[in-house]
Amino acid sequence: MNIVVLVKQVPDTATERKLSAADSTLDRASADGVINELDEYAIEEGLRLKEAHGGEVTILTMGPDQASDSIRKALSMGADKAVHLVDDALHGSDAVQTSYALAQVLKKIGFDLAVLGSESTDARTGVLAAALAERLGVPQLSLASKVEIDGSTVRIQRITDYGYDRVEGSLPAVLSVVEKINEPRYPSFKGIMAAKKKPVEKLSLADAGIDPALVGLAGATTQVVDFADAPPREAGTVVKDEGDGGAKLAEFLAAKKFV
Amino acid sequence: MGEILVLVDHIDGEVKKAGLELLTLARSLGEPSAVWIGEGLDAGRPVLAEHGAAKVYAADAALNEYVTAPRAELLARLVADKAPAAVLVSATPENKEVAGRLAVRLGSGVLTDVVAVDADLVAEHSIFGGAMRSRSKVASGTPVIAVRPNSVAVQPSPAAAEVEQVAVELSEAAKGARVLERVVQEKGERPELTEAGIVVSGGRGVGNAENFAVIERLADSLGAAVGASRAATDAGWYPHAFQVGQTGKTVAPQLYVAVGISGAIQHRAGMQTSKTIVAVNKDAEAPIFDLVDYGVVGDLFQVVPQLTEEIEKRK
Ligand SMILES: Cc1cc2nc3c(=O)[nH]c(=O)nc-3n(C[C@H](O)[C@H](O)[C@H](O)COP(=O)(O)OP(=O)(O)OC[C@H]3O[C@@H](n4cnc5c(N)ncnc54)[C@H](O)[C@@H]3O)c2cc1C
Ligand SMILES: Nc1ncnc2c1ncn2[C@@H]1O[C@H](COP(=O)(O)O)[C@@H](O)[C@H]1O
């Protein structure tokens, strides 16, 4: 099975994130880049499916040069090779444009199963799996907390508002996974050494057959108008319970008219 | 003023509050038309009428047999026929997927998780866990906007809610992911988590499943929904459908009560925009206290029952 795992590099959520004053895009230079933590579950699931059904795991990343650090980490977890879509013209692409660019790459490299995380921790749009399925005309098996593959049939448990749906589709398909699905492995020393020699193919827009007019800030389908720091929360009151903590909290809630 | 399509979520005809919020919002942008999928319109229509839906486009329940694509195809059909000024959906994970597919179909832009939309269709986001506000607009095609539940105060305003049946011929691709079974885990009488005005959440500090009764009693005294941290849902103390946070539900109630929750960044991502936040935690250093309007450092098994009792007394 040809498994492609889509991995995004994002600014570490633990550090302060900013928008760039120049063009309102995410200031990627000012924060440490890490693998979107939800994509680690996608990598793990890709590796487990390969272990169970055979085949190959390819990492696909769209992002600037420094995203190669995240690609190496994904390879050190055990993926076989990687494709890195990197081109300055991609800067500022929004969700719809990103889905176009990544769909073009997926068409070019081919796939049985494209595996994604449930959302990226920076943009948090959570639309990419659905948008890719739409563009590629393949089943959308998204928000999976469990996956089973039987021949060319894929069955998932899809997390919903009320619980879950059992959903079925056939390969090729787009799969996205939630963090309940597995426990991502840590790269082993051997894995880290091996990753250094694994092939990473860099693709430009032209290589991937991407129309430059359909990506990047200039042609974006959404535009940031302005942005500002949110007004800081006023410092609250914190009291130590001296046997009357519950009563004090009740008083606070009553003063705020919640009681 | 242009027509605004509003995808209204309902459970067997019972309209979700988020749908009424969208209709209220849509009235400030143009003339709202509700899009209704499935049974129950007899029960739902008076509610849509009361909240300003001039029209209701009603489609067959069969659209729910497949994952998201049929709903996007229905909305795309309606956009082609009615040329609305915008399409609004509530920002549930499922509807965001519908919105993403629809935007691709229409060649337009999509904005998800917005907390406000002004008359020029400029939408506001709360980003980076609430640290910043940004405003964005859709630059091409019919704007598709997913609005975070609890961002708008519902106001009634009567309208005709004239029903028009619509049918859509689904593409083969839309039938690719078939729903075999729906399993409902969310139980009970309490308000729905994303819609509730008050949410009381329990975390690892609660200790076990039985002890969640302490959380439930407090919630019931306040008429609140119950939520849980990932530590609590992973441990199986409370069903996953109640998880609050980055990979659970995003809530923005008037009041959020965090009990035995440390306030990890992934938890905060789902509750940080709550209007008032209070916490009970025995660790004075817990990061949740950075967010609170009022916090009590103490043992939840002492503080929470006393709080519940005080609330009952004041009723
Ligand atoms: C990819 C990913 C996604 C995640 N998504 C989410 C998410 O959606 N939602 C989420 O919540 N988390 C999420 N997490 C997990 C998150 O990082 C934290 O691990 C989790 O929120 C911790 O839950 P907690 O606060 O209940 O537990 P802990 O961090 O263990 O905190 C328990 C708190 O209870 C207090 N306590 C203990 N006993 C008592 C007592 N008797 N009285 C009072 N206080 C007491 C302790 O002082 C402590 O502060 C995610 C993590 C990852 C990696
Ligand atoms: N630039 C990118 N390169 C590779 N994969 C991506 C990229 N952006 C998003 N993804 C994938 O899409 C998922 C959902 O992202 P999003 O729709 O941006 O919230 C992520 O978890 C990744 O698996």
Coordinates of all heavy atoms in Angstrom, one line a residue, chain A residues 6-9 36 38-39 42 60-63 95 98 102 115-120 122-129, ligand 2:
Chain A
L6 N 0.6 13.4 5.4 CA 0.7 14.9 5.2 C 1.1 15.5 6.6 O 0.4 15.4 7.6 CB -0.5 15.5 4.7 CG -0.7 15.3 3.2 CD1 -1.3 13.9 2.9 CD2 -1.5 16.4 2.6
V7 N 2.3 16.1 6.6 CA 2.8 16.6 7.8 C 3.2 18.1 7.7 O 3.8 18.5 6.7 CB 4.1 15.9 8.2 CG1 4.8 16.5 9.4 CG2 3.8 14.4 8.4
K8 N 2.7 18.9 8.6 CA 2.9 20.3 8.5 C 3.9 20.8 9.7 O 3.8 20.2 10.8 CB 1.6 21.1 8.7 CG 1.7 22.6 8.6 CD 0.3 23.2 8.7 CE 0.4 24.7 8.4 NZ -0.9 25.4 8.6
Q9 N 4.7 21.7 9.3 CA 5.6 22.3 10.4 C 4.8 23.5 10.9 O 4.4 24.3 10.1 CB 6.9 22.6 9.9 CG 7.8 23.1 11.1 CD 9.2 23.5 10.6 OE1 9.4 24.3 9.7 NE2 10.2 22.9 11.2
N36 N 3.5 19.7 13.6 CA 2.2 19.8 14.2 C 1.9 18.6 15.0 O 1.9 17.5 14.5 CB 1.2 20.0 13.0 CG -0.2 20.0 13.4 OD1 -0.6 20.5 14.5 ND2 -1.1 19.4 12.6
L38 N -0.6 17.1 16.1 CA -1.6 16.2 15.7 C -1.2 15.3 14.5 O -1.8 14.3 14.2 CB -2.9 17.0 15.4 CG -3.4 17.6 16.7 CD1 -4.5 18.7 16.3 CD2 -4.0 16.6 17.6
D39 N -0.2 15.8 13.8 CA 0.3 15.0 12.7 C 1.2 13.8 13.1 O 1.4 12.8 12.4 CB 1.1 15.9 11.7 CG 0.3 16.9 11.1 OD1 -1.0 16.9 11.2 OD2 0.8 17.8 10.5
A42 N -0.9 10.9 12.8 CA -1.0 10.5 11.4 C 0.2 9.7 11.0 O 0.0 8.6 10.3 CB -1.2 11.7 10.6
L60 N 4.7 13.9 3.1 CA 4.5 15.0 2.2 C 4.3 16.3 3.0 O 3.4 16.4 3.9 CB 3.2 14.8 1.3 CG 2.8 16.0 0.5 CD1 3.8 16.5 -0.4 CD2 1.5 15.6 -0.3
T61 N 5.2 17.3 2.8 CA 5.1 18.5 3.5 C 5.1 19.7 2.5 O 5.9 19.7 1.6 CB 6.3 18.7 4.4 OG1 6.2 17.7 5.5 CG2 6.4 20.1 5.1
M62 N 4.3 20.7 2.7 CA 4.4 21.9 2.0 C 4.8 22.9 3.0 O 4.2 23.1 4.0 CB 3.0 22.3 1.4 CG 2.8 23.7 1.0 SD 1.2 24.0 0.2 CE 1.0 25.7 0.6
G63 N 5.9 23.6 2.7 CA 6.4 24.6 3.7 C 7.8 25.1 3.3 O 8.4 24.5 2.4
A95 N -6.2 28.1 3.2 CA -6.6 26.7 3.3 C -7.0 26.1 1.9 O -6.6 25.0 1.5 CB -7.7 26.5 4.3
T98 N -3.9 25.8 -0.3 CA -3.1 24.7 0.2 C -3.7 23.4 -0.3 O -2.9 22.5 -0.7 CB -3.0 24.8 1.7 OG1 -2.4 26.0 2.1 CG2 -2.1 23.7 2.2
L102 N -1.5 20.8 -2.5 CA -1.3 19.4 -2.1 C -2.0 18.4 -2.9 O -1.5 17.3 -3.1 CB -1.6 19.3 -0.6 CG -0.6 20.1 0.3 CD1 -1.2 20.2 1.8 CD2 0.8 19.4 0.3
V115 N -2.9 10.3 4.6 CA -3.2 10.3 6.0 C -2.9 11.7 6.6 O -1.8 12.2 6.4 CB -2.5 9.3 6.8 CG1 -3.0 9.2 8.3 CG2 -2.6 7.9 6.2
L116 N -3.9 12.3 7.3 CA -3.7 13.7 7.8 C -3.9 13.7 9.3 O -4.6 12.8 9.8 CB -4.6 14.7 7.1 CG -4.4 15.1 5.7 CD1 -4.9 14.0 4.7 CD2 -5.1 16.4 5.4
G117 N -3.4 14.8 10.0 CA -3.9 15.0 11.3 C -5.2 15.7 11.3 O -5.7 16.1 10.2
S118 N -5.9 15.8 12.4 CA -7.2 16.4 12.4 C -7.2 17.9 12.2 O -8.2 18.5 11.7 CB -7.9 16.0 13.7 OG -7.2 16.5 14.8
E119 N -6.2 18.6 12.6 CA -6.1 20.0 12.3 C -4.7 20.5 12.6 O -3.9 19.7 13.2 CB -7.1 20.9 13.1 CG -6.9 20.9 14.6 CD -7.8 21.9 15.4 OE1 -8.9 22.1 14.9 OE2 -7.4 22.5 16.4
S120 N -4.3 21.7 12.1 CA -3.0 22.2 12.4 C -3.2 23.1 13.6 O -4.2 23.8 13.7 CB -2.4 22.9 11.2 OG -3.3 23.8 10.7
D122 N -1.6 25.8 14.3 CA -1.5 27.2 14.1 C -2.8 27.8 13.4 O -3.4 28.6 13.9 CB -0.2 27.5 13.3 CG -0.1 26.8 12.0 OD1 -0.9 25.8 11.7 OD2 0.8 27.1 11.2
A123 N -3.1 27.2 12.2 CA -4.3 27.8 11.5 C -5.6 27.2 12.1 O -6.6 28.0 12.2 CB -4.2 27.4 10.0
R124 N -5.6 26.0 12.6 CA -6.7 25.4 13.2 C -8.0 25.4 12.3 O -9.1 25.6 12.8 CB -7.1 26.1 14.5 CG -6.0 25.9 15.6 CD -6.6 26.1 17.0 NE -7.5 25.0 17.3 CZ -8.3 25.1 18.4 NH1 -8.4 26.1 19.1 NH2 -9.1 24.0 18.7
T125 N -7.8 25.3 11.0 CA -9.0 25.3 10.2 C -9.7 24.0 10.1 O -10.9 23.9 10.1 CB -8.7 25.8 8.7 OG1 -7.9 24.8 8.1 CG2 -8.0 27.1 8.7
G126 N -8.9 22.9 10.2 CA -9.5 21.5 10.1 C -10.3 21.2 8.9 O -11.2 20.4 8.9
V127 N -9.9 21.9 7.8 CA -10.7 21.6 6.5 C -9.9 20.8 5.5 O -10.5 20.4 4.5 CB -11.2 23.0 5.9 CG1 -12.0 23.8 6.8 CG2 -10.0 23.8 5.3
L128 N -8.6 20.6 5.7 CA -7.8 20.1 4.6 C -8.2 18.7 4.1 O -8.2 18.5 2.9 CB -6.3 20.2 5.0 CG -5.5 20.1 3.7 CD1 -5.7 21.3 2.8 CD2 -4.0 19.9 4.0
A129 N -8.5 17.8 5.1 CA -8.8 16.5 4.7 C -10.1 16.5 3.8 O -10.1 15.9 2.7 CB -9.1 15.6 5.9
Ligands
LIG2 N1 1.5 22.8 4.5 C1 1.1 21.5 4.8 N2 1.8 20.5 4.4 C2 1.5 19.2 4.7 N3 0.3 18.9 5.3 C3 -0.5 19.9 5.7 C4 -0.1 21.2 5.5 N4 -1.1 22.0 6.0 C5 -2.0 21.1 6.6 N5 -1.6 19.8 6.4 C6 -2.3 18.6 6.9 O1 -3.7 18.9 7.0 C7 -4.1 18.7 8.4 C8 -5.2 19.7 8.8 O2 -4.7 21.0 8.7 P1 -5.6 22.3 8.7 O3 -6.8 22.0 7.7 O4 -4.7 23.4 8.3 O5 -6.1 22.4 10.1 C9 -2.8 18.7 9.2 O6 -2.9 18.0 10.4 C10 -1.8 18.1 8.2 O7 -1.9 16.7 8.2

